[in-house]
Amino acid sequence: MGTAEMIEDEQDIAKLDVTPDLPGGSKPLDLPILQGTMGPSVLDIRKVYAETDCFTFDPGFTSTASCESKITFIDGDKGVLLHRGYPIEELAEQSSFLEVASLLIEGDLPTQSQYDAFVNDITHHSMLHEQLRGFYDGFRRDAHPMAIMVGVVGALSAFYHDSLDISDEKQRIIASHRLVAKMPTLAAMAYKYSMGQPFVYPRNDLSYSENLLHMMFSMPTEEYKVDPVLARALDKILILHADHEQNASTSTVRLAGSSGANPFACIAAGIACLWGPAHGGANEAVLNMLEEIGHKDRIPEFIKRAKDKDDPFRLMGFGHRVYKNYDPRAQVLHNTCKEVLSVLGHQDDPLLELAQELEKIALEDPYFIEKKLYPNVDFYSGIIFKAMGIPTSMFTVLFAVARTVGWIAQWKEMMEDPSQRIGRPRQLYTGHTPRSFVERAKR
Ligand code: SDX
């Protein structure tokens, strides 16, 4: 095997001096070590292929930094989540979703006039081109709302031609604000369509979260009063889901954007990736799992299944690629869950009791302790959504509404990075070596 040691060269740039045993013979290789403001340093391997004729290999990117970013920092061991340096717990308790959106997209907490201008712009982009309503009629009423969202968000690029030129900063800003503003309207329409109820237009006198509840639950037959406690709880949930570093869906948006695809197409790609039950689809899967468990007496049976390597079942809402300690968002959501349920008079909600019992048992089990599997952001969000009367199939849609802000912020950062180029990973090829075609009659 080769040798490796950290060296400091004359410019005081740390380097890792490795001498790998390569097929062509050992050869010294200097890997610059880049240090960020927080978190692990990175080995700059951009020259490895040119200098060694070897690729690096990291399926699932467990040890690979795909980009440089200033937006979100996670310390998985300490359960820390910062957005532009601000702890998620403080933002959830003291900020609003649109203020966090401005923070993530623009880079700092807005002044009052900046905040007012941002809110005004988002508010006045919440309507949709009227012809977009026709897209919904093409879906079956029982279509999963995430299937609808993938379709209609991608379709926005067929309507807003004045914000497709990604080389024009003004068009990038308009497209970004349109996406943040229209996601609640599109999401509420997907819900109304599934219910067979008429679509409800947004109202400019309501806040972002009030409007989302209004568009989902108001009916033409009577006045709908938004419950301020539910609106605040929803706003907090949106904050907790806004961004999360280079997760699967954000990486999807960045990769799509690296080809020059328009922002509507990139966000549609992010929505498609978020839908997976290992990612944003987990909140829906948690509720389905709790309902399948049904009673706390059956918890040991499901814990046993989760530990069985031959059983594909996993305890949904548990575990995380980065958090090897409590997901700080889950803690805030647990508290919010209790608040919402008590306001709604569901404090004895059997699902919450079952979830708390499951969490208690799982966290005492050596398997979960050893593998550091704690509840993640998806564990409690579904219980709150259900208590608010939101159907399970809409949970990931609401996650997508929130994460659109993070996807846009990350996409913008990438588009403004002068060094950005198309993402094009390589592979370790283990297929057939060259062979000649054989006629079918001779196979
Ligand atoms: C989100 O990346 C993000 O930031 C995502 C997210 C965001 O905000 O964007 O935080 C949102 O997606 C949260 C995660 C929601 N998903 C779930 O709740 C689904 C259940 N969780 C697992 O599928 C899993 O924990 C993942 C996908 C979340 C993480 O998978 P990893 O990092 O690839 O970990 P792994 O699959 O390699 O698991 C390590 C070990 C394995 O056992 P061994 O092979 O080492 O013996 O832990 C086991 C796994 O079998 N394990 C579980 C488990 N999660 C991991 N065993 C039982 N139940 C689980 N939930």
Side-chain angles (χ1 to χ4, degrees):
M1 286 304 288
T3 58
E5 60 190 43
M6 175 95 82
I7 56 173
E8 298 284 338
D9 68 7
E10 57 285 356
Q11 287 93 23
D12 238 4
I13 298 172
K15 285 190 173 139
L16 188 64
D17 176 13
V18 291
T19 311
D21 292 339
L22 298 170
S26 295
K27 176 184 171 198
L29 178 67
D30 282 351
L31 294 178
I33 299 173
L34 309 179
Q35 173 63 48
T37 46
M38 295 175 75
S41 299
V42 298
L43 293 176
D44 184 345
I45 58 168
R46 283 174 285 191
K47 293 192 169 60
V48 164
Y49 179 50
E51 294 187 10
T52 67
D53 206 27
C54 285
F55 296 141
T56 57
F57 188 61
D58 184 18
F61 310 119
T62 51
S63 304
T64 296
S66 61
C67 63
E68 176 184 339
S69 181
K70 298 176 172 30
I71 298 172
T72 290
F73 174 75
I74 301 171
D75 182 324
D77 293 326
K78 299 193 182 98
V80 170
L81 170 55
L82 306 177
H83 288 320
R84 302 285 187 181
Y86 296 99
I88 189 64
E89 297 86 349
E90 293 181 26
L91 293 172
E93 294 308 326
Q94 302 176 52
S95 189
S96 69
F97 178 66
L98 282 189
E99 184 173 62
V100 171
S102 177
L103 169 68
L104 288 168
I105 294 170
E106 301 305 335
D108 216 327
L109 287 171
T111 60
Q112 187 61 53
S113 59
Q114 290 168 336
Y115 177 69
D116 293 343
F118 182 75
V119 170
N120 184 65
D121 210 35
I122 298 301
T123 301
H124 290 87
H125 276 100
S126 56
M127 286 277 288
L128 289 170
H129 189 295
E130 198 64 6
Q131 269 185 260
L132 256 164
R133 297 162 65 101
F135 276 77
Y136 288 77
D137 293 332
F139 291 101
R140 286 172 42 141
R141 289 283 178 180
D142 62 353
H144 194 292
M146 282 297 277
I148 295 176
M149 292 301 285
V150 171
V152 292
V153 172
L156 291 175
S157 50
F159 287 82
Y160 299 106
H161 298 111
D162 62 338
S163 59
L164 294 181
D165 178 358
I166 55 166
S167 62
D168 176 346
E169 185 187 15
K170 284 195 178 61
Q171 293 198 36
R172 292 202 300 267
I173 291 170
I174 295 172
S176 302
H177 289 185
R178 278 179 166 147
L179 279 157
V180 173
K182 297 180 192 304
M183 282 296 283
T185 312
L186 292 163
M189 288 167 71
Y191 170 67
K192 283 300 200 188
Y193 187 73
S194 71
M195 299 296 286
Q197 295 173 1
F199 295 146
V200 175
Y201 288 105
R203 276 177 37 188
N204 291 352
D205 62 321
L206 297 178
S207 73
Y208 194 86
S209 296
E210 288 170 343
N211 231 338
L212 180 48
L213 291 172
H214 156 70
M215 292 187 284
M216 283 185 70
F217 296 122
S218 71
M219 298 281 276
T221 48
E222 58 193 37
E223 190 195 357
Y224 173 75
K225 291 284 291 166
V226 178
D227 181 324
V229 174
L230 298 190
R232 176 64 193 134
L234 178 57
D235 208 65
K236 197 183 283 188
I237 293 171
L238 295 177
I239 290 172
L240 293 168
H241 287 78
D243 189 53
H244 212 239
E245 198 208 76
Q246 306 310 319
N247 58 84
S249 54
T250 297
S251 299
T252 300
V253 170
R254 278 181 172 261
L255 199 55
S258 74
S259 75
N262 72 70
F264 304 107
C266 295
I267 299 304
I271 293 171
C273 178
L274 186 74
W275 194 1
H279 190 15
N283 52 19
E284 176 178 357
V286 166
L287 253 290
N288 295 335
M289 175 188 72
L290 290 173
E291 283 164 358
E292 187 185 356
I293 293 173
H295 190 277
K296 63 182 179 180
D297 294 347
R298 294 193 63 199
I299 290 176
E301 171 196 336
F302 283 83
I303 296 268
K304 184 167 179 283
R305 284 187 58 196
K307 291 152 65 172
D308 179 356
K309 285 286 153 252
D310 298 325
D311 188 331
F313 173 78
R314 286 196 167 179
L315 219 49
M316 303 315 281
F318 277 80
H320 199 278
R321 170 62 57 79
V322 177
Y323 289 122
K324 299 310 173 190
N325 196 319
Y326 216 77
D327 181 336
R329 302 168 296 175
Q331 187 61 60
V332 177
L333 277 173
H334 190 182
N335 300 333
T336 307
C337 193
K338 290 175 184 166
E339 285 164 22
V340 169
L341 292 178
S342 63
V343 163
L344 293 173
H346 298 297
Q347 56 273 19
D348 303 327
D349 184 325
L351 278 180
L352 175 64
E353 283 177 21
L354 185 58
Q356 290 178 144
E357 184 65 16
L358 174 61
E359 178 186 14
K360 180 173 168 294
I361 294 173
L363 295 185
E364 289 166 356
D365 186 292
Y367 173 91
F368 288 84
I369 294 168
E370 178 215 319
K371 293 189 184 299
K372 300 184 177 184
L373 302 175
Y374 294 88
N376 57 45
V377 68
D378 293 300
F379 188 64
Y380 285 109
S381 55
I383 298 167
I384 302 173
F385 286 148
K386 185 174 189 301
M388 294 167 74
I390 296 166
T392 309
S393 62
M394 281 293 294
F395 293 178
T396 310
V397 172
L398 296 180
F399 194 152
V401 169
R403 189 52 58 88
T404 293
V405 158
W407 289 332
I408 286 293
Q410 300 272 351
W411 172 79
K412 175 178 182 286
E413 183 177 67
M414 181 191 72
M415 295 308 294
E416 291 170 352
D417 178 352
S419 68
Q420 87 89 12
R421 49 202 302 213
I422 190 167
R424 205 292 186 200
R426 302 305 301 270
Q427 62 179 11
L428 171 66
Y429 177 71
T430 54
H432 285 285
T433 52
R435 54 180 175 163
S436 301
F437 184 80
V438 176
E439 289 170 43
R440 198 171 306 129
K442 294 179 180 168
R443 292 173 199 164

